[in-house]
Amino acid sequence: MRIEALDIRCCRSDAAFGRDAWRKGGSDAGLEFLVFTLLCEGGLSASMFGFAGRSAIGAGHMAAASLRPFFVGRNALDREALWHDWRVADRWWHHLPFYLYGPVDTCLWILGAEAAGQPLWRYIGGARQELPVYASSMVLADADAYAVEARAVHAAGLKAYKIHPPGRSLAEDIEIHEAVRDAVGPDFALMSDPVACHTLEEAVRFGRVLERLGYLWLEEPLPDENFSALRELTRVLDIPVVGTEVLTKHPYSVAECIRDRVVDAVRADVSWSGGITGALKTARLAEAFHMNCELHTTIFHPLELANLHLAGAVRNNSYFELLWPTEPFSFGLETPLPVTDGIARLGEAPGLGIGLDWDMIDACTIEEL
């Protein structure tokens, strides 16, 4: 299955958010993304969305300059050889952003699954067809806004809610987490992801509050690369500490975190962790140490679908994560993600099981490379 071409589209959707929703790091102009298409001999092809940060055109040109000559001429079924060869090539000269290889690797897996006539989740490993879904908040205005949203998530049938607090002050973040627990009662599963905004001392205080409130886990309270402080936090808290989603070069970069219990559970996904190949390696490594690998949202729903298939192929992941509200992100697929009553269900159709919405992609394309 020789690869003949790698096409790249630079795209921008009209989904817009206030800057506070991204903790002042995003844009009001819409979501930018890439669409990769691997074309193989005999007319076979596979496509996948890709993260692009603030510039689809910038990310797209980097991918075209590096990934196109690397992949063209190789066998699409040689995923393992390609993954290792890219690791060496990237170290020597390319040094691409960590989100560019993953979507192309995912295309390789889709091609393999379709050639085998198998749904992707079963082709990868085949562990389960159903997963509970949790809603992951944007950054909201105040405690009342989070409480209202938590009640809406609960009423919609989702199985848990994760808070991304504003991080303006520890006192405000504690107030928000207390308000949400009061809003949904003692039995609904809640998590917290402060996105690396605390000092170690603040994280200890915050973690103690979450323990009192019965939260399920505390995610990335400190920067992922701060191994020493995270190890101490994990040691002193009873609530599980979760991290590693923004570490590059999975699984090697997280091996020490797993071996030395820097965190209680690691994070990976098909977008930022080296595709299905990289994320699967991280999940299997964590499993060998009796540790969970909680899969991280990939934001864009075609990537979320690939992430869901990966989740169906492993046992050490608790939930399927979706950003809330889902509507601004629910583009790119011919039909919605297969989520009903808070449960994601994988089907039996070959590959992803749902095609991409090419009319929408055409309308969003700002440059083809």
Side-chain angles (χ1 to χ4, degrees):
M1 194 183 293
R2 192 178 70 86
I3 298 170
E4 294 184 335
L6 172 61
D7 291 347
I8 303 170
R9 291 190 185 216
C10 308
C11 303
R12 181 187 300 120
S13 81
D14 59 3
F17 304 88
R19 288 181 181 270
D20 284 351
W22 302 105
R23 197 177 283 163
K24 302 187 184 299
S27 170
D28 297 325
L31 288 170
E32 302 217 353
F33 60 96
L34 302 173
V35 179
F36 295 91
T37 300
L38 275 181
L39 298 105
C40 299
E41 58 189 352
L44 300 174
S45 68
S47 300
M48 182 46 58
F49 276 43
F51 189 82
R54 293 294 300 274
S55 174
I57 291 176
H61 278 274
M62 284 191 290
S66 293
L67 295 178
R68 180 175 289 144
F70 175 80
F71 278 101
V72 171
R74 300 292 295 269
N75 191 315
L77 298 179
D78 293 344
R79 295 180 298 270
E80 190 70 11
L82 285 162
W83 192 86
H84 283 282
D85 289 350
W86 174 251
R87 175 174 165 79
V88 173
D90 192 46
R91 167 61 186 87
W92 272 100
W93 200 253
H94 299 277
H95 296 282
L96 288 190
F98 71 159
Y99 50 76
L100 286 178
Y101 185 83
V104 187
D105 176 85
T106 300
C107 288
L108 300 176
W109 282 90
I110 295 168
L111 286 164
E114 290 180 346
Q118 294 292 327
L120 182 56
W121 66 272
R122 181 170 287 133
Y123 183 70
I124 299 169
R128 52 194 170 164
Q129 283 187 265
E130 296 185 357
L131 286 101
V133 181
Y134 78 85
S136 195
S137 83
M138 306 296 283
V139 175
L140 306 181
D142 53 32
D144 288 342
Y146 284 98
V148 168
E149 183 169 270
R151 283 192 289 266
V153 166
H154 192 200
L158 277 79
K159 306 309 178 186
Y161 178 62
K162 187 170 78 180
I163 298 168
H164 289 100
R168 291 182 288 255
S169 74
L170 182 61
E172 181 186 33
D173 288 355
I174 290 173
E175 178 191 5
I176 287 166
H177 287 73
E178 290 175 335
V180 168
R181 174 52 78 200
D182 288 342
V184 297
D187 298 325
F188 190 61
L190 296 172
M191 307 87 142
S192 177
D193 182 1
V195 193
C197 71
H198 293 310
T199 66
L200 174 58
E201 291 75 16
E202 288 172 339
V204 172
R205 290 173 57 200
F206 187 54
R208 294 297 189 210
V209 172
L210 297 188
E211 289 170 352
R212 172 174 58 81
L213 295 172
Y215 274 65
L216 189 61
W217 73 59
L218 171 58
E219 183 179 324
E220 201 181 346
L222 306 170
D224 273 348
E225 66 274 15
N226 196 342
F227 289 2
S228 177
L230 280 168
R231 186 185 297 110
E232 177 64 9
L233 183 68
T234 298
R235 186 186 70 82
V236 302
L237 289 181
D238 293 326
I239 186 173
V241 177
V242 181
T244 75
E245 72 187 43
V246 297
L247 293 182
T248 62
K249 310 296 183 181
H250 281 232
Y252 306 102
S253 59
V254 302
E256 181 183 344
C257 296
I258 293 171
R259 184 197 65 182
D260 293 347
R261 206 75 182 189
V262 171
V263 290
D264 293 298
V266 295
R267 295 274 274 169
D269 65 73
V270 303
S271 176
W272 293 359
S273 307
I276 289 174
T277 302
L280 184 62
K281 287 176 183 289
T282 296
R284 297 295 192 226
L285 178 62
E287 182 182 45
F289 283 80
H290 298 276
M291 181 182 285
N292 267 15
C293 178
E294 301 294 352
L295 295 180
H296 166 247
T297 178
T298 57
I299 301 173
F300 302 99
H301 280 203
L303 276 167
E304 297 285 35
L305 180 59
N307 222 32
L308 175 59
H309 277 269
L310 176 61
V314 301
R315 287 294 185 100
N316 58 328
N317 172 71
S318 305
Y319 292 90
F320 178 52
E321 179 181 13
L322 285 178
L323 290 176
W324 189 274
T326 59
E327 289 78 11
F329 307 98
S330 60
F331 57 83
L333 294 172
E334 290 180 333
T335 60
L337 288 168
V339 176
T340 304
D341 298 327
I343 301 294
R345 294 178 173 85
L346 289 155
E348 296 289 343
L352 288 174
I354 302 174
L356 299 189
D357 182 352
W358 285 101
D359 289 340
M360 174 268 167
I361 294 168
D362 286 341
C364 290
T365 298
I366 53 180
E367 186 171 349
E368 295 186 52
L369 302 174

